[in-house]
Amino acid sequence: MYFNRDPLIVRLGKLAESGQTGVLRVSGAVGGAFYLSEGDVLYAESKRTPEPSKWLVRPGGHPGEADAARSLAWTFAVREATVDAALELLSGGSRHSPRHRFKELESPPGDRSSGMSFAALHAEVTRRQEIVKQLSGSVTADTTVVRNPRIEAPGLQVSALQWALLIRMGGGSTPRDLAWELDHSVFGTTVEVFRLISLRLLSVAGLPASETPRASDAPSGRRHDTMSFLRAVTQ
């Protein structure tokens, strides 16, 4: 049975509160699923976000420092993919009116080591929604950006991820396209693209770099704490 009356976030919260184990499948343009175990969210997936990096080797059963490091990297990758997918699913619900249905399972549908409580997931998604809202005046996950032919500063330093984004730009790409190419978080890629726009290394397609807004160009009417993220990422 599909549950169309409750918003997706409400439905997920009720399942978590009652300690359910199973899978909540979501249909629609941002379709995907949440996998739960005794109320914790083990994993989430969305058609619009990549799964954990294919370059990561899932840890085996051999103990040791190397395996412990792989296990930690895998856990981080799964959690990041989960929050990335949850951001898409929970932010897109009201726009796309997705249908969702829950199927109970007798045993957990995955490894509990990378799971997180609904409260923790909801808090992180809420934080990212606020950041996405701040970034939307400059770039979204689906904005086409291009590499600028000139560097205005005498010298710039970029991170390994930022360099990977720059060399893959070609004639123009969206942060979402780049995220899929790199098996990286869509949210994280969008933030890095914003940083590159602020450095004038990228600009929105069709908009000259000189007209691309910086964080300091944002309206002054917003609260100081609201704008703190934009100031921080450009320093």
Side-chain angles (χ1 to χ4, degrees):
M1 178 178 180
Y2 284 98
F3 301 88
N4 290 315
R5 293 184 179 179
D6 291 341
L8 180 56
I9 186 66
V10 175
R11 180 63 179 163
L12 184 60
K14 289 180 178 178
L15 292 171
E17 184 178 0
S18 59
Q20 294 294 318
T21 294
V23 54
L24 177 64
R25 298 198 179 279
V26 184
S27 63
V30 291
F34 292 92
Y35 298 87
L36 296 94
S37 175
E38 298 179 3
D40 286 345
V41 179
L42 297 184
Y43 182 60
E45 59 187 11
S46 167
K47 293 189 296 186
R48 288 168 57 81
T49 59
E51 296 180 3
S53 176
K54 62 186 177 184
W55 305 114
L56 281 176
V57 178
R58 194 165 190 164
H62 303 292
E65 292 184 4
D67 191 66
R70 286 195 299 270
S71 179
L72 183 61
W74 177 259
T75 297
F76 177 81
V78 171
R79 287 183 179 177
E80 180 59 28
T82 293
V83 178
D84 203 38
L87 178 63
E88 289 287 336
L89 293 170
L90 298 178
S91 300
S94 61
R95 295 194 307 270
H96 302 282
S97 300
R99 296 182 299 174
H100 40 95
R101 60 180 179 182
F102 179 71
K103 179 181 180 181
E104 291 187 31
L105 299 174
E106 293 183 1
S107 58
D111 182 8
R112 293 203 61 173
S113 64
S114 56
M116 57 199 312
S117 68
F118 169 75
L121 178 65
H122 188 204
E124 179 59 16
V125 167
T126 300
R127 184 186 75 87
R128 295 190 181 196
Q129 285 174 329
E130 177 60 31
I131 292 172
V132 168
K133 182 179 179 181
Q134 294 177 54
L135 296 181
S136 63
S138 300
V139 65
T140 73
D142 300 301
T143 301
T144 300
V145 293
V146 296
R147 199 164 48 219
N148 292 331
R150 298 178 182 178
I151 298 179
E152 297 180 6
L156 290 171
Q157 183 175 354
V158 297
S159 68
L161 175 57
Q162 290 170 341
W163 179 249
L165 295 173
L166 286 170
I167 64 177
R168 286 171 171 79
M169 285 304 303
S173 301
T174 69
R176 190 181 306 279
D177 292 336
L178 294 167
W180 276 98
E181 187 172 352
L182 291 170
D183 288 316
H184 191 69
S185 159
V186 171
F187 169 81
T189 302
T190 305
V191 170
E192 293 304 328
V193 167
F194 172 80
R195 289 189 172 110
L196 291 170
I197 289 175
S198 298
L199 291 171
R200 302 294 198 233
L201 294 176
L202 297 178
S203 61
V204 175
L207 184 64
S210 59
E211 297 180 19
T212 301
R214 293 181 184 267
S216 58
D217 297 332
S220 58
R222 288 179 176 267
R223 302 190 320 270
H224 289 295
D225 58 335
T226 302
M227 294 307 304
S228 61
F229 170 79
L230 295 184
R231 293 196 183 99
V233 298
T234 55
Q235 294 179 359

